[in-house]
Each structure stands twice: as C-alpha cells, then as structure tokens.
C-alpha cells in the first residue's frame, strides 16, 4: 500500500519506519529538508512540498492515502489547506496527532476526502513495539487503511475504530487525562516511600512490583527506568512538570458532561502548581491569615 | 468569682485580662516570672508556683477553680501532676488549650477534680471581642464556671456545653479543620483574581465582599487586612504555611469515622507541600516519566 | 434619580424596593404582568413593554438609567436588542445578573449606551441588609449611578468599581467559586460532627462558633438557621445539590490561567456527583476491579 | 525444601500449590478441616493443629520454615502464640498477609525465630503467574527462604528484600494506596467515556489501550475483562466500594511523614462516600444553604 506521510518529527518518522518495515511504499514530506532526506535514506520517496507529495501519490492510479503527523492546531489546518485542491472523495486523510476532537469533527466535515482522526499512544518509546491507535471516522476509510494501521500499531489488536468522526481523538484525550492521574499516583507512592521510615532502593521496589504486583504497568516500568538512570533521589530532575493541553481538555469535557474527575484534576493542578515561579498566592495568603487571627509568625522570603 | 490561671502566654494573658475586667479575682502563675509580674501589674494576684497558686485559692473557703492555658501535650500533664495533691472532687479544672480530645477524656478520668475541656477560638485577635468557647465535661462544673465563661467568651452566647468529656476539644478540633479549608478556599479565589485577566485591587475586592456578599466572614476581613498591610501582592510573605496538628487530627478522625474530608485534606496537604524544601518528589517523578514515554525535555535544576 | 428596572423576579423586585425606599423613581417592567402590578403597588411606575419603559424614562429630559435583572444568557441579549433603538451614548445600562464576564465584555462593546456589569451578591436573604455589588465598566457611568448603588448595596461600602468592562462579573464569578468551596468546607465539618463520636446539637455548635470563633461567617449563620429549621439531621433535605454554572466558569478560568483550584473543583464535583442518579460509574468499575484481582465479593444492586 | 503453611484460604492455598509445583514439601494446617483435606489431596502433608504442624516439621532434623497466610490482625498473633513454644532462633517464620507494618516490627522483636514480613501482591488472579513479594527482615532468613520465594513469586525477579523488619509490609501498604488511586483514575476515565459524547464500546477501548498505549497495565486488562463479563454499562454492579484498611494506613503514614497524597486520599474518600447509606450530610447541608441565601428550591427526599 502506498501512503503519503506529512510531518517527519519523532513520531512521524516512526510512522514512516514502521510502514516501510511492513513493505508499504511511503512518500514523505516535512518542512525540514533534513528530515525528508533522512526519511529518503530510510527508504521513503521524498517530496519537496505538499502538492508534490499529492502528485506523487497519483502515480499508481489508486486513490490517495495521506497520514498527517504534524503538531496539533494550526499546522494541521495549514497542511489540509494545501492538500485540499488535490483531494477526491475516495481519498483518505489520517490525522495521527493530538488534535482537539472538535477540531477533528470540523475538519472531517470540510475535508473533500474521507477523514480519520487517529489518537496515537505509546510515544517515541513505543517505536519498536508499535502504537495504540484509537480511530474515529467513516468505516470504509478505516477498513481501507487497515494494512497501514496494522503496521503502525502493535498489530491488528493495536488499533480500533471507536466511532464517528472525532471519537478517536476524544478517546485519546481521555486516555491522556488518565495518564496524568496514573503518573501522579505513582509519584505519590514513591514520594511517601522516599520520605518514609525505611531507606529503600526505589528501583528495586519498582522492579519487584513490576513482577506480578497488582499495580504493574508500563508506566511503572518507566519509573523503574527513571530510578535506574537518575538515581534513587532522581538526581537533578526539577520539580516542574510541563505540558497539560490534553489534560485540560479532559477536565473541560468533564465540566461539560458534569462528570467529576478529582484525580485527573488534581494531577493537572500539580503541573500548574509546579510552574508557579513566584510561589502559590493561595498559600501565601493562608500563611498571612494565620497571623491575622493567631499572631503566628509569618515566614518571609 | 476567684480563679487560678496557669499559663500566661498570649492567650492566657487575655483570659486573665477579661476575667479581671469582669471583676473576677485572679491568681496567676507562669513559669516565666516576667509574665507573672505583668499579670500582677494588671491586677492579678501573683503565685510563684503551682502549689502556691493552689494554696492561695484555698483562702476564701470556696472550692478551687483553675484555668489551664498552657501548650497542648506534656505541659498540660505536667501542670495537672503538680495540681493533683491540691485538688478535691468539688474543685473544677478547665483546659482552655488545643489539647487532643482523647487526652482530655483520659485526664478527665484521672483528675481528682471535675474537669472541663474547653476549645477556645478567636485567637489573640479576639481579645477585645471575646472568644468562642466549646466546652465538654460535667454539667455541674460547667454551670459553676458560667460567670467566668461569660467573661472570657464574647458573652453568654459565646460559650456552650457540647457534651461529656472530650467533646469540647473534639468540636474545636473539627473547627480548626474547617478553618484550614476556609483559608485555602479564600486563597484559591484571591490567587485566581491575582493571576487573572484584570488588574484588581484585592483589598477593595475583599472590602466590597465583606459588605453584604454571601461569602463575608471574619476570615475575609482578615484577608482585607492582609492586603491593606502587606500590599496587593502580599509583599514578602513566603509560600510556606506552618502548623497542622489539629488539621491532622481532624483528618485522622475522618479516617476513623470513614467520613471523606477532601477539602480539609487538600488544605492540609497544601501546608505540607509548601514545606517540601527539596521540591515535590511526586512531581519530579512525573516530569521524568514524560521523558520516559514521550522523550519530552526534562527540566533540570 | 429615575431608573428603569427590567426584570422583577425575586432579585429584581428587591432592587426596586430598595431604590424606592431611598426615594428614587422607578419605572418597572417584567414579562409577567403580575410582577409589574405588584411593583406598581409598591410605588413604581409600571411599563407594559421595554420600548414603553424606555419612552417613560425620556420624560424628564435626563439621560436614561436602566437596570437589568433578568436571567443570565439569552434574556439579557433579548432585552438589550429591544432597548438598543432607544439608547444614546450618554445613557447607562446596568446588568445586575449572573452573566458570564465575556458576554458582558461583548455587550459593553456593542451597546450604544455606557454599559456596567454588576455582580450582585447577598441573595434574596440580603434584601434588608442590602447587597454587595462588584461593578465593571466606565468610571463616569459608575459615578453617575452611585446614588442607585448606594441604595441597592448595603451602603457606600457595599459597592465598588472593580475595573473595566467584564471585571464586575469576573469578580462575582470567582466569588461564587469560593462560595461553593466554603459551603462544602462547612459541610465536611458538620458531617464529621454528625457522624462522629459525640451526640452533638449542631445548631448549638454553629451558634457558639458564630460568637467569636475564627470561622464565623454569614454562611455559618445560615448553617445555624438550617439546623434550627430542619432539625439536627437536616430532616428530609436530599443529597442533591443543584446549580453550578458560575462554579464551572471559575474552574474553566482557572484552567485558562493555569491556577489550580482543588477545593473549588472538589466542591463543584460534589454537586455533579450528588446528581449521578445511576451511581458513579467510576466507583462501580473500581468495585468490580477488586473482584478482578482479589476475588472480593462485588456488591450488586 | 520443607515448609509449613498455616492458613489455607484462597491465598494460602495458592502458596501451597505453587510450593508443591516447585517440588517443595508442604505441611499444611487450617482451622477448617476441609481446607486441610483439600490441601492433602493436592499433595501436602496434613496437620491437625499448629503444634502438630510444628512437630511434623522437626522430622528431617532441619530448622523449621513456616509461612503464615492468615487474616491480618489477631489471627496472626494467635498463630504465633501457638507456634512460640516450638520455635528456635534458627527457624524462620514468614507472614505473607496484609499485616500493619508496625505489628510486624513488634512481632519480629518478640518472635523466638527469625521473622520475615512479606507483602504479597497479585491476588487470587495471580495464581498462575505468581506473586510479587516485598520482604522485610533479616538477610540470612531471606536468603534461606529464597527457593520458596522463587516458587511463590513470579520467579527470582518477583521477590526482593526491601530492608529490615516491617519494610515488606510497609512497601505493600503503600502499594495498596497507589492501587486505590490507579483504580479510581481508570474509573474516572471510563466514567467520562461512558457519560460522554460518543457511544463507545468500553471493552474495545480498554483493549486497544492495552495494546501499546502509555496507560496499559494489568489493572487495565482487568477493566477490559470487567466490561466483557459485565457489559458496557457494568450491569448490576453496585456503586459501593468495600475495603480500605491498607489505604487508610497509607494516608495515616502520609500524615505522619507530612507527605500530601491527594489522589490516594480522594480514592479512599470515594470508597467511604460510596458507603454513605443515608446520603452525604455535607452535600445535604450545602443544598440547604443554597436556600438559605438564594431561596433556591431544596430537593427533598
């Protein structure tokens, strides 16, 4: 099967490599020429623009299949705008990025081709194993792309059509919300172990947990790796957690659906709190109030 | 009415002053001689030891009434041990400090005199208005002390017998748990106002809220005072909230009774978090995990 | 001063009454004729339509001052649309409802008159005392309306200009977020008292707290009233908390500003949770998982 | 290697079977005769009392190795009391149950034999794979039991000495706290999917996540199983989560160490809340307060 891949960053490149490894033909484009060259070295056919990529896909007389792996937001719309004149109804476009699901619904409605929104989980660390793909959009288009999904995912079990347009990115959004909470939950456990009564080897704790314990998971394997690589006290890793867009969307959807998500919210709030460079105003006020009624000393900075 | 007051710190001294202002006779003792001298200057009869205080209370042939205002924990037991040989069943001892309610139950059982546990709220800032007193113990003893409670509290409405021994400190413990949550709730609101879209005068916000708004309260008046005295950004007040024992007891009691207290717990947790000098381990691990699966940059320190 | 008041529900009627009591002239309109008649009986000049109200305000040759007290959302836009042909730049429109602040910014931009967004706190129960008014918009318009604000608020201290358009409703939105958290914080405390070790009279607890305790507040007075009127176990009051729009907006703004609001969020989530008619799916799954690994019995319904 | 196993419930029986499968000799006792008979049928040597079990272990002239798998609390102390007269310093006792770590420290101090506290995770569902064993106590005793641990655990990687006495049960306690939070985190995600915008097949979501997604885990496999066996809406599974002792201990230890555990606490609180048969008092009060200030209708039951 021939596919065009637009966007050759870390994730896009893995998509290319996995497609090639499964004997698919790939036409590859990125705004970074070096990334295109590298993909070409790996076996892809290079394109020097999006129109050029679209043209090259015409060759076989088949309909076009195009996989977008560009950053969520404007870059997706920009790529689609360039693609649009070249798209026919029988073509299929896949957006494999972390797009907001309502954007995907909108794009599916306006795109001349069939449009699949594809949530992709597994991260760069999943390159060898393959990804988990949550896909929304028309059934025919999903069926048409199955050989490609088999290659990019862990295999046939690693992809599934969730439902109509938007549902793929919707499920991925909530996946990420859960991910925030899981990370923070492990964090709480290891913080208590680290601050607690025993002098413990945390890599060893994670390792024994990963062998048969109820809480074993891939994230826990990554905890084990973290302690192995950074040391028992995590070395110079700072107390600052970046990111947050998909978690924010998850919480917003919870508000919309009136579903309480206290763990996910708290995990997101910890990220925000870790980035409060000037201290948390709420706590500074609480500290001052202790003086207000109780004349307790106020720590000053 | 004649009373002995043991413990002349900030709170004990207010007790003395309010009793004197209501024309009660006070015999006063503290391990700090200067505090005794100051109380004597204010009109109290000084005692140079606990036995001496007990002896001076015998004078009128009445039973003894003794108010303890010493730090919670061992100092209460130490004072009671010294008092014990001088106590008769008709005497009354009041513990006005922040004792743990189970300690109060234990002390009430072993004390030769009637024992009242008296939760005291209002803080040094409440000196002029009078305190709120939540009292546990025998009804007779409570009735006997009413004139003193009238003087120390805001008046007859400012004190109440909650129930048997321990109930006064129990109610005060939970009062403090609620207090933590209220402080943090105001803190959240003002943090959002401070970080938010408008350039607001927070003292003015607090002031207009204190005049008629649903959330008006004494703590909100103290917020207003804090902004007036520290400035709109709270000046050099540090992000470090001390204290926590009564809040911890409240959460422990919630665990015992299987009552969820998420707001009180979260407020207590913010205090703990504000004191994590080396950063929060949980968040440092979460940040490292983002690299683990996603190869996101890890902020280092 | 003459004012038109549109919207004569519970809150609007209080506005009318307080304006009349301060010797202002009121032209009153509501889509409910009975409400107009009742306002007329109280001393207002009745109008039978919004254009009619506008015409009546022209009488004195002064510019028009109009106070909207209609439900947030479409009714505000509908009223403004009817008013628009009658408005001049020197006129002033006040929106005293619970509008979303961004709607107020938009309306201020499109309204031919000066537009003040006025957050109103105190509720129907504040009728006698007067309200707390948080006002956003042009300084001149605020100054022009001061006599009316003096009357509707608790007095001159009960209203304040927060800043430019939208800031009044912005501050009110966050006020409400804090309100949710305060209510839930008191709720936690009384739940623990109710489920706890002592058989307590909760009205009496609330009363003694309201006299001098750190956590005294108007909401705590309302707790006292609730126990007095409903009984110590709150009688047949259901575990179902309605409402939530302003709290939801507050949380959304916290997400936007990346300010964690765990107490406000948790309080909002308790409302959502109280309305989950079919049980909480999250907990049902957790219960089933306990069987999954541990073969614990699964409670069935 | 010969071992005595006391306690032949679900978990104890798995220990017996795994030891037998690895060609160890097992002397088995339980207060339930049928359980002893069943173990005998499986190949264990039956004992009719604890002293009888101890005597039978003497046979080979080797020191005794005894594995307790009885419910945490008094049953452990009762078994140890019966064992005590038969124990020598060179013997080894393992407590494989969910004991509180401070009890294990106390028992290790008073036990005449070497004492190992062994946290066991994996549950009955882990019978085939083997367990994760977190072990505290003397190094020699741990080394002596390694062949048995190899058999009961997933293998050599499935057990580890954490540190001195108590550390095994300490690590297991915190494991369980994390477990509560993970379960609730998945619960939140699936609740939002269930209540959300798309009509999704949750088993299919769990399945695709388990194939390559960042949040894949054994608990997520159990979610998949739950949806497969109970249906997409979990059938008649009730909103009631039992259990909570190890989570409570974890939170208590967090209080002691001043480590905030908001996710674990919230997950525990959801369990408590799910068991509030009469509704949550906190929310009933909050609902009534909405009437107090705003005259909002109060839902009654």
């Amino acid at each position: 099967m021939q596919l065009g891949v637009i966007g050759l960053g870390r994730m896009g490149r893995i998509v290319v490599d996995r497609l090639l490894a499964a004997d698919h033909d790939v036409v590859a484009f990125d705004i970074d020429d070096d990334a295109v060259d590298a993909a070409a070295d790996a076996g892809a056919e290079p394109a020097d623009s999006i129109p050029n990529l679209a043209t090259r896909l015409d060759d076989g007389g088949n309909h076009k299949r195009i996989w977008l792996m560009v950053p969520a937001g404007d870059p997706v719309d920009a790529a689609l705008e360039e693609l649009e004149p070249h798209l026919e109804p029988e073509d299929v476009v896949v957006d494999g990025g972390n797009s907001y699901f309502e954007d995907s619904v909108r794009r599916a409605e306006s795109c001349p081709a069939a449009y699949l929104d594809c949530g992709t989980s597994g991260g760069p660390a999943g390159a060898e194993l393959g990804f988990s793909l949550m896909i929304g959009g028309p059934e025919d288009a999903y069926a048409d792309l199955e050989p490609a999904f088999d290659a990019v995912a862990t295999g046939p079990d690693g992809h599934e059509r969730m439902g109509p347009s938007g549902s793929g990115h919707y499920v991925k959004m909530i996946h990420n919300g859960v991910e925030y909470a899981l990370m923070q939950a492990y964090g709480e456990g290891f913080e208590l172990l680290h601050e607690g009564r025993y002098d413990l080897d945390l890599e060893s704790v994670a390792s024994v947990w990963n062998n048969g314990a109820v809480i074993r998971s891939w994230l826990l394997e990554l905890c084990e790796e973290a302690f192995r690589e950074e040391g028992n006290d995590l070395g110079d890793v700072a107390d600052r957690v970046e990111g947050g867009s998909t978690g924010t969307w998850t919480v917003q959807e919870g508000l919309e659906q009136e579903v309480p998500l206290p763990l996910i919210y708290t995990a997101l709030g910890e990220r925000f709190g870790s980035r409060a460079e000037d201290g948390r105003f709420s706590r500074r006020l609480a500290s001052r109030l202790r003086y207000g009624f109780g004349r307790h000393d106020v720590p000053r900075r």
Side-chain angles (χ1 to χ4, degrees), chain A residues 64 79-93 106-115 138:
Chain A
K64 290 184 277 293
L80 286 173
E81 199 182 334
E82 280 200 81
L83 274 176
E84 198 173 316
H86 307 274
L87 294 176
E88 304 291 332
E90 63 272 23
D91 298 339
V92 183
V93 175
R106 169 178 58 76
R107 287 165 188 154
E109 279 166 5
S110 67
C111 184
Y115 194 84

Side-chain angles (χ1 to χ4, degrees), chain A residues 259-274:
Chain A
V259 170
L261 306 169
L263 276 74
I264 294 173
Y265 183 83
T266 302
L268 177 64
E270 291 286 347
R271 294 193 179 196
F272 293 160
S274 79

Side-chain angles (χ1 to χ4, degrees), chain A residues 119-141:
Chain A
T120 306
S121 184
E128 277 181 52
L129 177 69
F131 296 127
S132 168
L133 303 179
M134 302 139 243
I135 298 157
E139 290 186 42
D140 287 359

Side-chain angles (χ1 to χ4, degrees), chain A residues 40-212:
Chain A
D41 289 347
E45 179 182 341
D48 57 16
S49 71
I50 287 180
N52 178 253
L53 174 139
T55 310
R56 286 171 186 276
L57 290 175
D58 280 336
D59 282 2
N62 289 315
H63 64 274
K64 290 184 277 293
R65 301 176 178 100
I66 297 167
W67 193 301
L68 300 179
M69 213 68 185
V70 300
D74 293 341
V76 179
D77 288 312
L80 286 173
E81 199 182 334
E82 280 200 81
L83 274 176
E84 198 173 316
H86 307 274
L87 294 176
E88 304 291 332
E90 63 272 23
D91 298 339
V92 183
V93 175
V94 178
D95 173 12
N98 255 334
S99 297
Y100 184 55
F101 73 96
E102 293 196 328
D103 288 338
S104 298
V105 172
R106 169 178 58 76
R107 287 165 188 154
E109 279 166 5
S110 67
C111 184
Y115 194 84
L116 297 172
D117 53 287
C118 171
T120 306
S121 184
E128 277 181 52
L129 177 69
F131 296 127
S132 168
L133 303 179
M134 302 139 243
I135 298 157
E139 290 186 42
D140 287 359
Y142 173 72
D144 180 58
L145 266 282
E146 285 222 33
F149 292 144
D150 287 349
V152 174
T154 57
D157 292 338
H159 60 90
E160 194 72 62
R161 181 178 172 270
M162 301 284 102
S165 287
S167 61
H169 283 143
Y170 190 78
V171 171
K172 175 54 164 47
M173 171 185 81
I174 294 171
H175 166 282
N176 283 25
V178 173
E179 178 188 291
Y180 288 27
L182 299 183
M183 288 163 70
Q184 195 62 31
Y186 286 118
E188 288 186 2
F190 283 108
E191 181 168 330
L192 185 52
L193 289 169
H194 186 259
E195 308 294 330
R197 303 204 188 195
Y198 293 91
D199 186 23
L200 298 162
D201 181 312
L202 299 184
E203 182 193 344
S204 171
V205 171
S207 168
V208 78
W209 283 352
N210 274 321
N211 285 277

